[in-house]
Amino acid sequence: MLNENSKKEWGKMNVYQALKHCRLWDEWIQSNKKYKQAFVGRLFGRMALKKVLKDESPLARNTPTLGELKVKETNGDIASEKKKWIALISEYAHFSNPVFIHTFFGKMTKEQVGQMAYKHADHHLRQFNS
């Protein structure tokens, strides 16, 4: 169980930063904002998405993230962030965001978003051996 005593196995984020990052990531995915795909993503995004989702393997350690989703502050309310993240995860049961464009992978199907959301959460839970 992820809590204030969880020790990271890799990466730079502490527990608070990881929880807030995950909350921000899920808010980004579930929002109705339109995002422009990066040029490099237009070149390689589809291939990369196919590779990431081809099997059940976890995301690679130290996978880069969007600058907007990096959490700089190191202290905050862990319990509150965890509660907000859990609420967002439950919203995937009703996920519908046809305008979502991942800034690297591009347009994604509902199924691809679901797989990626699972892999992202799993990645950060593994980061703290949770």
Side-chain angles (χ1 to χ4, degrees), residues 27-37 95-103 106-110 113:
E27 285 177 351
W28 169 55
I29 299 294
Q30 294 179 28
S31 73
N32 286 321
K33 295 178 187 173
K34 290 187 178 184
Y35 295 92
K36 189 174 181 178
Q37 187 178 12
F95 180 80
S96 177
N97 188 356
V99 299
F100 176 70
I101 297 174
H102 191 281
T103 55
K107 191 151 179 61
M108 296 169 67
T109 67
K110 185 177 180 176
V113 168

Side-chain angles (χ1 to χ4, degrees), residues 2-82:
L2 196 57
N3 61 48
E4 60 277 347
N5 297 317
S6 298
K7 302 286 185 237
K8 65 183 169 193
E9 301 278 315
W10 76 84
K12 297 176 183 176
M13 293 185 214
N14 65 27
V15 174
Y16 170 74
Q17 290 171 315
L19 284 166
K20 185 169 181 179
H21 161 78
C22 288
R23 175 183 59 83
L24 293 172
W25 191 89
D26 286 309
E27 285 177 351
W28 169 55
I29 299 294
Q30 294 179 28
S31 73
N32 286 321
K33 295 178 187 173
K34 290 187 178 184
Y35 295 92
K36 189 174 181 178
Q37 187 178 12
F39 178 72
V40 70
R42 281 187 257 138
L43 295 175
F44 303 108
R46 300 303 306 162
M47 286 187 318
L49 180 63
K50 195 173 187 177
K51 182 180 179 195
V52 167
L53 300 181
K54 73 177 187 245
D55 58 27
E56 304 275 328
S57 63
L59 294 176
R61 290 182 176 194
N62 301 311
T63 300
T65 191
L66 295 171
E68 299 85 8
L69 302 179
K70 290 181 182 177
V71 178
K72 292 183 173 94
E73 67 269 14
T74 58
N75 295 312
D77 188 342
I78 290 172
S80 175
E81 286 300 331
K82 188 173 174 180

Side-chain angles (χ1 to χ4, degrees), residues 114-125:
Q115 288 174 291
M116 198 65 205
Y118 169 82
K119 284 192 173 227
H120 184 257
D122 176 69
H123 173 75
H124 287 289
L125 291 172

